[in-house]
Amino acid sequence: MMERLDARGLFCPLPVIRTQDRVAVMALGERLEVVATDHGVLHDIPAWCRINGHRVVESRDDGSEVTLVVEVGTLPEAPNHGP
Amino acid sequence: MSQRKAVALISGGLDSMLAARVIMDQGVHVEGINFFTGFCVEGHTHAIRRKDRARPKRNNALWVAEQLGMRLHIVDIVEEYKDVVLNPAHGYGAHLNPCLDCKIFMVNKALEWMEEHGFDFIITGEVIGQRPKSQRKDTMPVVARESGADDRLLRPLCARNLEPTRPELEGWVDRQALFNFTGRSRKPQMDLARQRGIDDYAQPAGGCCFLTDEHYAVKLKDLWASRRARNYDLDDIMLLKVGRHLRPRPAFKLIVAREEGENNFLRGYRKRFVHMEPVSHPGPLVLVDGEPGEQDIRLAARITGRFSQGRSAAMVTVQVTDRDGGRRTLEVPPLDAGDVPREWYV
Ligand code: SF4
């Protein structure tokens, strides 16, 4: 079963912070569905995923609510991975 | 020797971006940390104001991290930060900005993170003299000492004007390749950015948070005065960013939406407040904060009429909803513009 995070009513960056904190305790390959009302998440969560090696596998916008599905990934450990 | 690791305080502005970049360029593994205090300028206002939505919106800290190819950890410090705002040992800057205590607090939080994650030192984008109150030659050691970071706090942009720190003494970084920027000029940073191929960056005006904003500080002080208590929660400080705030009587304040985005935003808070909306004409949602009496409610309804499209009608009908959901309508003459004195605006 997919995990779900209700971030409705929160404003960015809080939905990103809540996503980050949930993903931190999830395993590689697991998926988290995030539902939010601040449309800023359409920008911020994918950006956060790109930096941290996760993947947005689905994103829907029904006008009032936004749903994103994040798949937990991993980054190669140090050194810095350049852009 | 194994690769050294540094955690960089990232505000989203140019200075902290450059500091991180300079240290990455020396072969150190750098990860960013960004703190959410609730007063940050970013994010919320974009989400609230419809007119801001058209502009491309980005979270500058995330954007900086992506440009640098660096991880970023965003930390919610809303609760703990209250003590910094309410009781700053070193006092406030021009408004309600406790910059020095804020720096000390954030560096201390970064220190905790650093120790937990096995990192070696902390970097910030501070520049001597850049900010008159918090970034002075004599405040730099204060931040290092009171945060507990001591010689593990490195400021790459002005390190050569400061005592050598542990990363320099141990040879983890090359002091000669660090900088000696001082003063308020932005030119050295801009030159360095160009040199390192950074051509797009945020230009924060003044400070990184609403506490440096004069109007915001006035509203926060008004909130404390009306409650006879210095405290706040996240909703309070969010609401101060939105709408017109009018205090016609000491007992209550009105928050009047200015446009559709704010209307929607305030709607999310309506269960916590007595609120009103004109029903005979289009007009704003108005939250009534405080303990209004019956006369106050009537006055609030007339003000609501004043900000509605029925402002020149003889009467407007305003629906009033109590906190318990009980509803009634009032028919009132809208207040004339001349009857809304300047002093009511907070
Ligand atoms: S402007 Fe705000 S966030 Fe920045 S140092 Fe001052 S108090 Fe802290």
Side-chain angles (χ1 to χ4, degrees):
Chain A
M1 211 186 77
M2 181 148 57
E3 296 212 30
R4 192 165 184 276
L5 172 67
D6 183 358
R8 288 176 298 181
L10 299 180
F11 290 88
C12 284
L14 284 173
V16 187
I17 298 177
R18 301 288 179 263
T19 302
Q20 164 193 274
D21 295 350
R22 279 288 283 281
V23 164
V25 294
M26 289 170 60
L28 189 69
E30 282 186 326
R31 290 182 173 193
L32 175 68
E33 181 182 66
V34 184
V35 188
T37 42
D38 181 351
H39 281 62
V41 299
L42 284 171
H43 186 281
D44 290 357
I45 292 183
W48 178 82
C49 285
R50 286 194 299 273
I51 310 173
N52 291 290
H54 311 299
R55 213 155 60 92
V56 175
V57 292
E58 206 181 310
S59 100
R60 290 193 302 275
D61 177 0
D62 80 358
S64 62
E65 285 185 8
V66 178
T67 307
L68 290 158
V69 178
V70 173
E71 186 178 279
V72 180
T74 181
L75 279 181
E77 273 313 308
N80 284 308
H81 44 98
Chain B
M1 189 185 73
S2 67
Q3 191 190 25
R4 293 292 165 179
K5 296 181 178 179
V7 56
L9 266 75
I10 295 293
S11 67
L14 177 61
D15 294 10
S16 55
M17 181 182 194
L18 285 172
R21 174 62 191 269
V22 161
I23 297 305
M24 288 169 86
D25 286 351
Q26 292 208 17
V28 174
H29 173 82
V30 180
E31 296 190 13
I33 193 164
N34 172 256
F35 295 105
F36 174 64
T37 64
F39 293 102
C40 311
V41 178
E42 289 192 46
H44 311 289
T45 35
H46 292 279
I48 299 162
R49 305 271 279 288
R50 185 141 302 248
K51 68 177 170 61
D52 287 345
R53 275 200 197 164
R55 271 191 257 145
K57 178 216 170 266
R58 68 184 185 200
N59 175 306
N60 283 319
L62 283 170
W63 184 85
V64 161
E66 192 166 14
Q67 294 306 299
L68 298 180
M70 159 181 95
R71 280 192 191 195
L72 181 76
H73 309 276
I74 312 178
V75 186
D76 174 357
I77 56 168
V78 172
E79 278 307 311
E80 292 166 272
Y81 193 71
K82 287 180 186 170
D83 192 46
V84 178
V85 177
L86 298 172
N87 309 301
H90 297 278
Y92 297 104
H95 301 294
L96 278 177
N97 47 313
C99 291
L100 189 48
D101 290 272
C102 173
K103 284 266 151 60
I104 293 167
F105 180 80
M106 288 184 181
V107 172
N108 174 264
K109 284 270 134 199
L111 177 69
E112 279 175 18
W113 190 95
M114 172 192 117
E115 284 172 345
E116 214 172 294
H117 293 81
F119 277 48
D120 302 293
F121 61 101
I122 301 165
I123 51 189
T124 71
E126 290 167 288
V127 168
I128 295 170
Q130 183 82 202
R131 299 255 160 83
K133 176 120 182 158
S134 60
Q135 297 192 30
R136 295 193 316 253
K137 183 139 190 171
D138 59 319
T139 61
M140 298 276 168
V142 176
V143 175
R145 190 175 59 240
E146 296 190 13
S147 65
D150 293 314
D151 65 353
R152 288 166 300 171
L153 173 58
L154 176 66
R155 286 96 164 194
L157 302 186
C158 61
R160 275 166 43 206
N161 285 329
L162 297 167
E163 289 294 310
T165 58
R166 183 136 185 249
E168 296 159 277
L169 294 170
E170 300 270 355
W172 303 339
V173 301
D174 174 8
R175 180 173 168 92
Q176 289 319 307
L178 301 177
F179 298 89
N180 57 357
F181 300 166
T182 56
R184 304 200 62 147
S185 165
R186 307 288 303 148
K187 193 163 179 306
Q189 286 94 315
M190 284 152 73
D191 289 344
L192 179 59
R194 202 169 312 114
Q195 249 181 50
R196 308 265 165 150
I198 298 171
D199 53 9
D200 181 8
Y201 41 84
Q203 309 252 22
C208 20
C209 81
F210 268 105
L211 294 167
T212 59
D213 181 286
E214 184 183 349
H215 305 291
Y216 190 89
V218 167
K219 286 190 235 173
L220 185 52
K221 284 181 188 161
D222 167 77
L223 185 87
W224 291 341
S226 72
R227 290 185 181 167
R228 293 170 215 272
R230 284 163 48 90
N231 57 32
Y232 65 82
D233 62 26
L234 184 58
D235 288 338
D236 291 330
I237 61 179
M238 294 285 292
L239 283 166
L240 295 183
K241 299 177 188 176
V242 185
R244 292 186 177 86
H245 291 236
L246 292 95
R247 186 176 292 287
R249 302 280 180 270
F252 74 102
K253 175 175 85 168
L254 302 181
I255 307 176
V256 184
R258 287 173 294 197
E259 39 86 63
E260 194 196 334
E262 291 192 342
N263 229 47
N264 293 337
F265 178 82
L266 293 182
R267 204 166 290 284
Y269 288 93
R270 70 190 186 281
K271 295 213 170 76
R272 280 187 47 181
F273 295 90
V274 176
H275 60 275
M276 41 186 76
E277 231 170 339
V279 286
S280 54
H281 300 80
L285 177 69
V286 176
L287 303 184
V288 187
D289 180 27
E291 296 306 328
E294 207 37 52
Q295 289 299 325
D296 299 331
I297 292 287
R298 218 183 134 71
L299 176 59
R302 295 190 63 197
I303 297 170
T304 302
R306 156 78 203 120
F307 288 107
S308 78
Q309 285 181 27
R311 64 179 64 90
S312 40
M315 296 299 248
V316 287
T317 312
V318 175
Q319 178 173 277
V320 182
T321 310
D322 289 323
R323 267 179 286 237
D324 61 14
R327 280 195 180 154
R328 62 210 151 111
T329 52
L330 291 177
E331 207 175 336
V332 292
L335 221 56
D336 277 340
D339 293 334
V340 181
R342 269 297 329 146
E343 307 84 75
W344 286 5
Y345 284 88
V346 183

